[in-house]
Amino acid sequence: MPSKSSARLAALTVAAVCSAASTVVLTSPAHADAVRVHDIQGTTRISPYAGKQVTDVTGVVTGVRTYGSSRGFWIQDPQADADPATSEGVFVFTGSAPKGVAVGDEVKVSGTVSEFVPGGTASGNQAVTEITKPVFTVLSGGNAVPAAVTLDEDSVPDAYAPEGDPAAGGSVNALPLRPSAYALDLYESLEGMNVRVGDARVVGATDPYTELWVTVKPDEHDNRRGGTVYGSYASQNTGRIQVQSLGKPADFPAANVGDTLAGTTAGPLDYNQFGGYTLVASEIGTLESAGPERETTRRQQRGELAVATYNVENLDPSDSTFAAHAAAIVDNLQSPDIVSLEEIQDNNGATNDGTVAADQTVRKLIDAIVAAGGPAYDWRSVDPVDLADGGEPGGNIRQVFLFNPERVSFTDRAGGDATTAVGVTKVRGKAALTVSPGRVDPANAAWNNSRKPLAGEFVFRGRTVFVVANHFNSKGGDQGLTSQYQPPARSSEIQRHAQATAVNAFVKDVLHVQKNADVVVLGDINDFEFSGTAKILESDGALWSAIKSLPRSERYSYVYQGNAQVLDQILVSPDIRRGCDLDYDSVHINAEFNDQISDHDPQVLRFRP
């Protein structure tokens, strides 16, 4: 290809720049017949040249990555073949920051073709085709970068991925790519190539790792706040794509859900451990703010009981977020009568010294609430056994009840501790807990290395209300939506199903004693309202997830990889649901914002017992 800088070429005389991972040879231009990039990429996810040496692979450099654990550069062959299934781009892995190569250089590369799996093979992630241990030669500089392929609602299929091959354990690796039929196949057919999105709406806010998510399908399950709602396992929202930057982190836009990257965002298409296909942008559109505001729910009426759940994300006394959490509870949640807090850490946080008490953490939050103009909440909880409930090592996270003693009272029954199971008895013809506060079935293997439910008995305007605060095990270990295994395995739900079974059984015990008992089960369920976990909780009509009273587009409390989804739920017993006088609100104050104080949005339910 013609050079734009003969002076630079003159300087690139037989010299070498070496590192432990790569060798760069700079010479005058030379061309020879060799394997092309599209030959290396092939028509499946695994290169036909995997593990083999290739020589003199030519292409134009489209991006150089000098940071992180995967350093190197992308090349793209400007002379594409006629097969849409074969990518014309590939990543050249140099290990250390590549030297002597720049965007627009035409290069000739020799090395070993490798299939690198971000996160390791156990993650289930797809592999990235790379040329490793490279020796490369700069043939010319200042060349035009191949035009970017546009990703938009017309080019990205609605179907997400083909079914994996049962003979290969559900893997799609060996299946021929069908880029016009499946979104993941399209993205794979563009792996390593220069791609672009235009005027893309942000559906996942900028995170601490300087990445965000956009959609190229603005009407795909959109909601009024600019997000993309994940409403079923069969509807993965194919227009989502992650954006990172090849530039300085300080230059990356601080975007919220609903904002727009106006104009062009372009760069090589990569695949990484956390999010799959990623546009690594050398050019980022101009951030146009949609001006999203944090929501405020209405105040409960005199005869309404307001119950809330709020995951405060590993709160401990050393954190700087107490005032912000207090303002959220007082102003945005309007001081609910009962608040279930999840992820309250012990008094010294992650310091692993046997401390399990959390009275200082809770007292600091209550004091901040009072300072913010809120009520002087009282509280109840049960300290866990040290290191037995999962979460950040040493933090001993647990659930805590806050309650406003001016509005509700707590019925204390002694005997509740980390290992004693709360039971149900009959007192004057009504259901009552044997201990309050107490833990639900704490010896059950379902709660191994996970938070045990906290049960308490409250009285509001003479009516007993049983509340069970939960924090089910996380989705850690599940295969991602972009996994090589389709559909991806959700191994973590096995434990959540067992947890849901235990909680459902406890609620049935209450209802067996008192059919019309008011029971509220709430917290970070770590699963969707349409999930098997929710169905088990709801089984036999014992409970109903009240978030389903909202329109589908409003059902979310968390944003993960650009999908607005439900993790936090409030479920109610039949008597509460039959009253048809309940009012549910998912209060969006965190999940859509880059400056969030928690990754969860709190939930509020108001009803008349």
Side-chain angles (χ1 to χ4, degrees):
M1 298 182 68
S3 170
K4 292 185 179 180
S5 177
S6 57
R8 179 173 180 236
L9 284 178
L12 303 185
T13 56
V14 189
V17 182
C18 303
S19 74
S22 64
T23 301
V24 185
V25 180
L26 308 177
T27 70
S28 57
H31 294 274
D33 293 336
V35 172
R36 308 290 289 273
V37 172
H38 49 251
D39 298 323
I40 294 172
Q41 287 285 8
T43 58
T44 70
R45 285 173 166 78
I46 301 298
S47 170
Y49 287 84
K52 299 178 180 179
Q53 292 288 120
V54 292
T55 58
D56 297 343
V57 181
T58 59
V60 175
V61 176
T62 59
V64 179
R65 182 159 56 198
T66 60
Y67 61 89
S69 60
S70 184
R71 302 178 187 184
F73 56 92
W74 288 268
I75 63 171
Q76 183 168 333
D77 190 337
Q79 299 178 15
D81 67 4
D83 191 344
T86 57
S87 171
E88 301 296 339
V90 70
F91 184 68
V92 179
F93 175 72
T94 57
S96 59
K99 299 177 181 179
V101 65
V103 172
D105 284 351
E106 184 186 14
V107 296
K108 181 173 62 177
V109 181
S110 299
T112 302
V113 176
S114 299
E115 292 291 346
F116 170 67
V117 180
T121 55
S123 69
N125 285 330
Q126 296 188 46
V128 180
T129 302
E130 299 179 340
I131 299 176
T132 61
K133 301 177 182 177
V135 175
F136 60 88
T137 302
V138 175
L139 304 178
S140 63
N143 300 287
V145 172
V149 176
T150 297
L151 300 174
D152 59 22
E153 56 190 333
D154 295 323
S155 63
V156 178
D158 292 331
Y160 196 62
E163 289 278 335
D165 181 2
S171 174
V172 298
N173 275 349
L175 300 181
L177 296 176
R178 298 172 59 193
S180 64
Y182 299 107
L184 290 192
D185 283 10
L186 172 68
Y187 294 140
E188 178 64 20
S189 74
L190 299 172
E191 178 194 273
M193 290 180 62
N194 197 23
V195 300
R196 69 174 295 276
V197 298
D199 294 333
R201 193 179 74 241
V202 176
V203 293
T206 303
D207 66 20
Y209 307 101
T210 59
E211 56 196 20
L212 55 80
W213 288 76
V214 298
T215 181
V216 300
K217 293 185 173 183
D219 298 326
E220 185 176 52
H221 302 124
D222 59 318
N223 63 35
R224 62 182 175 83
R225 293 177 62 84
T228 297
V229 177
Y230 183 58
S232 77
Y233 290 125
S235 182
Q236 299 93 337
N237 295 316
T238 63
R240 297 172 301 108
I241 191 165
Q242 186 170 227
V243 177
Q244 293 179 334
S245 176
L246 278 175
K248 298 177 181 178
D251 296 332
F252 198 74
N256 298 317
V257 170
D259 293 347
T260 298
L261 295 185
T264 294
T265 298
L269 186 64
D270 195 16
Y271 183 100
N272 73 23
Q273 178 180 355
F274 305 105
Y277 294 103
T278 301
L279 195 167
V280 186
S282 55
E283 177 184 4
I284 299 180
T286 302
L287 180 65
E288 292 185 352
S289 175
E293 294 184 356
R294 288 175 162 84
E295 290 187 334
T296 297
T297 195
R298 71 169 176 84
R299 182 174 294 277
Q300 65 271 29
Q301 298 174 4
R302 182 179 179 186
E304 290 180 314
L305 178 65
V307 181
T309 175
Y310 187 19
N311 184 319
V312 291
E313 197 172 2
N314 290 322
L315 190 67
D316 77 76
S318 68
D319 289 334
S320 61
T321 55
F322 281 89
H325 282 305
I329 292 170
V330 174
D331 299 329
N332 301 95
L333 303 187
Q334 294 291 295
S335 301
D337 301 311
I338 302 170
V339 182
S340 166
L341 299 172
E342 295 85 49
E343 294 198 19
I344 290 288
Q345 290 198 340
D346 63 35
N347 289 335
N348 59 13
T351 301
N352 191 2
D353 63 357
T355 299
V356 294
D359 55 302
Q360 295 173 28
T361 309
V362 179
R363 175 50 54 192
K364 188 171 182 178
L365 179 59
I366 291 173
D367 289 346
I369 290 171
V370 172
Y377 282 108
D378 203 346
W379 67 284
R380 297 291 187 276
S381 188
V382 174
D383 291 337
V385 173
D386 187 35
L387 304 178
D389 282 14
E392 187 177 21
N396 291 311
I397 55 174
R398 83 289 310 273
Q399 300 87 268
V400 171
F401 289 130
L402 299 185
F403 64 95
N404 182 357
E406 298 296 321
R407 294 267 298 167
V408 297
S409 62
F410 189 88
T411 302
D412 287 294
R413 292 197 176 90
D417 58 28
T419 58
T420 299
V422 59
V424 183
T425 187
K426 183 179 286 187
V427 176
R428 294 186 292 277
K430 302 289 186 179
L433 302 183
T434 56
V435 295
S436 177
R439 304 181 104 193
V440 175
D441 200 8
N444 191 322
W447 309 112
N448 287 351
N449 200 38
S450 185
R451 283 66 56 190
K452 287 69 174 171
L454 176 70
E457 189 174 322
F458 295 85
V459 176
F460 175 72
R461 297 173 68 87
R463 176 79 175 181
T464 296
V465 179
F466 301 96
V467 182
V468 184
N470 301 271
H471 185 187
F472 284 8
N473 78 297
S474 77
K475 293 181 176 292
D478 286 1
Q479 293 170 353
L481 290 180
T482 61
S483 168
Q484 65 160 293
Y485 300 102
Q486 294 293 331
R490 302 185 296 271
S491 58
S492 69
E493 70 181 10
I494 295 173
Q495 185 173 4
R496 283 194 301 281
H497 288 179
Q499 294 173 342
T501 299
V503 172
N504 176 266
F506 175 74
V507 174
K508 286 177 182 174
D509 288 345
V510 176
L511 298 179
H512 178 74
V513 174
Q514 183 183 340
K515 185 177 181 179
N516 68 340
D518 289 338
V519 184
V520 177
V521 171
L522 78 174
D524 180 358
I525 303 301
N526 260 321
D527 225 334
F528 317 119
E529 81 280 15
F530 55 80
S531 67
T533 302
K535 291 176 180 176
I536 293 170
L537 283 168
E538 295 178 320
S539 62
D540 300 319
L543 293 166
W544 177 70
S545 184
I547 199 169
K548 293 191 291 187
S549 65
L550 298 178
R552 291 184 183 275
S553 63
E554 296 291 322
R555 299 178 192 173
Y556 63 97
S557 67
Y558 195 85
V559 178
Y560 182 67
Q561 296 183 353
N563 272 329
Q565 57 194 246
V566 170
L567 291 186
D568 308 85
Q569 300 187 47
I570 302 178
L571 301 96
V572 297
S573 59
D575 193 65
I576 297 175
R577 184 185 181 189
R578 274 195 298 267
C580 295
D581 196 17
L582 55 83
D583 182 24
Y584 193 98
D585 196 359
S586 182
V587 188
H588 304 304
I589 62 172
N590 286 317
E592 299 167 322
F593 296 89
N594 68 78
D595 58 347
Q596 57 190 224
I597 55 173
S598 168
D599 47 359
H600 293 252
D601 286 334
Q603 313 291 291
V604 178
L605 176 71
R606 293 171 287 265
F607 67 99
R608 295 179 183 271

